[in-house]
Amino acid sequence: QVQLVESGGGLVQAGGSLRLSCAASGRTFSSVAMGWFRQALGKERQFVAAISWSGGSTYYADSVKGRSAISRDNAKNTVYLQMNSLKPEDTAVYYCAARRLTTTQDPAGYTYWGQGTQVTVSS
């Protein structure tokens, strides 16, 4: 069982930066792949970034590639999403998710989800 709690969301002006954190409970954090997803109002949940259990492999959606960085600290049971050069279209609720072993960009492949943190980017 893995429980996830996101933090770090907020209101930021376009061009600004935010770092989201996702704290995980459970002793198996180092063996789970982690992903970040987002869901804008009235839209489907979409993939943002993912990281392998070791942190050695990372994956990004084209919409955030070059502006975002996913990382993890297994000693702290925490995964991060650094987002730079934010745009109004990045406005959404951001969720972290966990699944055993391998990464995937499909939200249906994740077993555990956090409650989400709101990111609002003003123009």
Side-chain angles (χ1 to χ4, degrees), residues 4 24 37 43-44 48-49 71-72 97 113:
L4 305 171
F37 294 81
K43 296 189 177 181
E44 292 186 352
V48 177
S71 60
R72 66 190 295 163
W113 289 86

Side-chain angles (χ1 to χ4, degrees), residues 45-104:
R45 192 167 296 190
Q46 63 176 199
F47 170 75
V48 177
I51 188 166
S52 62
W53 65 269
S54 67
S57 297
T58 56
Y59 308 89
Y60 298 93
D62 288 343
S63 58
V64 303
K65 195 175 294 183
R67 302 188 293 123
S68 298
I70 187 171
S71 60
R72 66 190 295 163
D73 185 338
N74 286 345
K76 296 183 178 179
N77 281 13
T78 302
V79 63
Y80 306 96
L81 181 67
Q82 176 70 42
M83 299 190 296
N84 304 317
S85 302
L86 283 162
K87 306 174 182 180
E89 51 263 43
D90 293 319
T91 295
V93 178
Y94 283 71
Y95 299 89
C96 70
R99 72 188 301 267
R100 293 288 182 183
L101 299 177
T102 59
T103 59
T104 177

